[in-house]
Amino acid sequence: MENIRYCTQCGNAVETRIPSDDSRPRAVCPHCHHIQYSNPKIVVGCLLTHGEKVLLCQRDIEPRIGYWTLPAGYMENNEDTSEGALREAREEACAVGEQMRLFAVYDLPRISHVYLLYCGVLVDGYAAVGEETRAVSLLAEADIPWGDIAFPVMTEALQRFFEEKRSGQERVHRAIFTGKFGGEPKITRA
């Protein structure tokens, strides 16, 4: 559970306890009895292609500043997942995608994140540096800086994408990432 210290309803300090009608520890306000739930964060992103190349962004923010990634970020309220993925592509790479399909669902239970990545076509092959990006590039598989990919999830997505291109069979990829990050993650593919 994330560190919830104060009630969002009345501002009093909360206690961590299991409510009578629940089975998990929650942040409960002893004053107004409001229960605050801590739920996973949803990350949405795009794997956009132009011909045989994939759009990558070099991060200009922490974490992993200077490393490469697919355009992705936290989903916002009042948007669906594909809208969020396309918004992230616009924000990070001034890119517009079309012909979008769900490409991968990745669970990262250790950090309570769920990634939903979409695959599509980069309209007009155009991308430019966005608000959180140092550089953008369209790269063929042989040109991807594999040692400088920001997150294991993105490495996994890129590897599955190029495998899919070789096989000619599209599918929704699924994996669970466990273990400590910073080292080699354990990946269970479904």
Side-chain angles (χ1 to χ4, degrees), residues 6-190:
Y6 299 99
C7 179
T8 57
Q9 301 299 305
C10 71
N12 283 294
V14 297
E15 298 173 350
T16 300
R17 64 177 183 214
I18 300 173
S20 61
D21 59 347
D22 205 334
S23 61
R24 294 179 177 259
R26 308 288 183 190
V28 180
C29 178
H31 179 72
C32 73
H33 308 289
H34 177 70
I35 301 169
Q36 289 178 202
Y37 295 90
S38 176
N39 300 106
K41 301 270 188 204
I42 298 173
V43 177
V44 290
C46 287
L47 197 157
L48 296 176
T49 63
H50 183 69
E52 296 299 311
K53 296 182 177 183
V54 174
L55 174 65
L56 290 180
C57 301
Q58 188 179 34
R59 294 176 61 80
D60 200 29
I61 59 169
E62 291 294 352
R64 308 289 287 164
I65 192 168
Y67 285 80
W68 292 87
T69 188
L70 299 170
Y74 293 118
M75 186 175 171
E76 297 287 350
N77 290 330
N78 303 312
E79 68 183 0
D80 69 40
T81 56
S82 63
E83 288 172 342
L86 290 168
R87 175 188 47 75
E88 287 292 336
R90 282 191 311 277
E91 289 175 1
E92 295 183 11
C94 304
V96 176
E98 63 183 10
Q99 301 173 35
M100 305 301 288
R101 69 175 174 92
L102 183 61
F103 176 75
V105 178
Y106 295 132
D107 295 315
L108 288 77
R110 185 183 151 301
I111 59 172
S112 299
H113 284 174
V114 175
Y115 277 70
L116 297 170
L117 299 177
Y118 286 81
C119 185
V121 176
L122 178 63
V123 173
D124 298 326
Y126 177 80
V129 172
E131 50 194 61
E132 299 175 351
T133 319
R134 183 177 288 180
V136 295
S137 191
L138 282 166
L139 299 168
E141 181 177 13
D143 300 323
I144 290 181
W146 292 103
D148 291 327
I149 301 297
F151 308 107
V153 147
M154 298 308 176
T155 299
E156 171 73 11
L158 288 164
Q159 289 171 343
R160 295 299 76 75
F161 172 76
F162 288 113
E163 284 176 7
E164 189 176 279
K165 290 290 278 183
R166 285 188 287 280
S167 75
Q169 294 184 344
E170 292 181 357
R171 68 182 198 93
V172 176
H173 301 270
R174 174 123 167 47
I176 301 168
F177 289 70
T178 57
K180 292 195 173 200
F181 290 96
E184 195 63 31
K186 293 180 181 120
I187 303 170
T188 304
R189 293 179 185 90

